[in-house]
Amino acid sequence: MFTARIYVTLKEGVLDPQGGAVMNSLHTLGYQSVKDVRVGKYLVVSVQASSQEQAEKQVNEMCAKLLANPVIEDYKFEFVGE
Amino acid sequence: MKAGIIVFPGSNCDSDAMHVCQQVMGWDTDYIWHAENQFARKYDLILIPGGFSYGDYLRSGAIARFANIMSAVADHAKGGGYVLGICNGFQILTEANLLPGALLRNNHLQFRCEQVWLKVENADSPFTCAAQEGQLIQVPIAHMDGNYFADKETLEQLQENNQILLRYVDETGLLTAAANPNGAIHNIAGICNEAGNVCGMMPHPERAAEHILGSADGRIIFESILQHWGER
């Protein structure tokens, strides 16, 4: 079993109103040091596969087809454990 | 005229769409369940109604796009049949790559349910041909993710091919930021595909097709489809 940690984020240049709202709130709390916030999604997907390479191929497909919308989002993932 | 309305778990404007197609327009209309693999008969118009298909999990429209029936919808579109996606239907059509771009969260993060003014930018499409170019219509919106986005190249293509059908304007027809209810790029409210037979719009013409509802302006969308169907 391979466990993928998948991060889906809005592409650079795509407006992120949630990120903006979170940043404003952080500023209100006094964290003036915050210059940008981007909100994304974090998914943990466990895959049965014969090798990490196989699992990687599958997860890539899943991301491209469903988990991320390539028009507005980027994704990256890493595997943890066995 | 035969119309089919796709019903997903979480669709909630399917009955409104049925009422307008069947009672107001007098069309022979069926509901089509999302789990079907094909249409029981041939339709002229496939309507994808508003709602929250699959709870809008992951992204609005992202899961509905892979429902069994969607390959039949894609075939129908490829064959030149009319497809109209309203609100969640628009989101589903962009997710399914039947329309370009994507619908992002409203820029102010609020769910907006209100009347808006729309300007008919292109009165040459199957969905707007009964209107005059520049005509203003008042139709309600009700959405959280209606902020239309497309990259620069896609926008240029949309402009060049006259694929922008409707834009948010103020009551005098001016394209202002204040009249834009969701932050949509260039105030875009509705578009069509390059061939012109697939249309998506965030506003709800089916909720404004009779005077008793406060506006019958939305009926022009359905009248247009009928007119185009009769002429072709």
Side-chain angles (χ1 to χ4, degrees), chain A residues 8 10 13-15 17-22 41 43 63 65-73, chain B residues 58-59 62-63 65-66 94-95 97 101-109 147 149-151 183:
Chain A
V8 180
L10 283 172
V14 174
L15 180 78
Q18 291 187 85
V22 173
K41 293 189 188 92
L43 302 98
C63 289
K65 278 189 192 166
L66 175 66
L67 304 180
N69 177 345
V71 176
I72 47 171
E73 293 170 325
Chain B
L58 198 63
R59 292 179 308 275
I63 301 196
R65 168 246 196 287
F66 290 103
T94 58
E95 283 283 342
N97 294 322
L103 280 313
L104 296 169
R105 179 81 8 129
N106 292 350
N107 62 346
H108 41 65
L109 295 170
N147 180 353
F149 172 85
D151 61 28

Side-chain angles (χ1 to χ4, degrees), chain B residues 8-11 34 52-57 63-68 88:
Chain B
F8 297 98
S11 294
H34 69 102
F52 300 85
S53 55
Y54 300 89
D56 277 352
Y57 293 161
I63 301 196
R65 168 246 196 287
F66 290 103
N68 288 351
N88 192 219

Side-chain angles (χ1 to χ4, degrees), chain B residues 76-156:
Chain B
H76 174 84
K78 209 187 280 174
Y82 305 122
V83 179
L84 173 61
I86 299 170
C87 199
N88 192 219
F90 186 10
Q91 294 158 347
I92 293 167
L93 289 174
T94 58
E95 283 283 342
N97 294 322
L98 290 172
L99 287 173
L103 280 313
L104 296 169
R105 179 81 8 129
N106 292 350
N107 62 346
H108 41 65
L109 295 170
Q110 294 163 355
F111 185 97
R112 282 282 168 89
C113 183
E114 62 196 23
Q115 295 279 357
V116 296
W117 284 100
L118 303 172
K119 185 178 178 184
V120 177
E121 286 281 326
N122 168 7
D124 227 7
S125 85
F127 304 91
T128 50
C129 60
Q132 304 292 319
E133 196 174 309
Q135 187 174 335
L136 303 186
I137 58 174
Q138 193 178 37
V139 175
I141 54 161
H143 61 248
M144 181 85 173
D145 298 326
N147 180 353
Y148 183 76
F149 172 85
D151 61 28
K152 199 166 159 267
E153 200 177 304
T154 307
L155 276 175
E156 279 166 10

Side-chain angles (χ1 to χ4, degrees), chain B residues 6 32-41 43 68-73 75:
Chain B
I6 310 286
I32 303 168
W33 186 237
H34 69 102
E36 302 289 337
N37 286 307
Q38 55 193 27
F39 301 147
R41 56 191 185 126
Y43 296 102
N68 288 351
I69 201 65
M70 285 308 290
S71 50
V73 174
D75 288 345

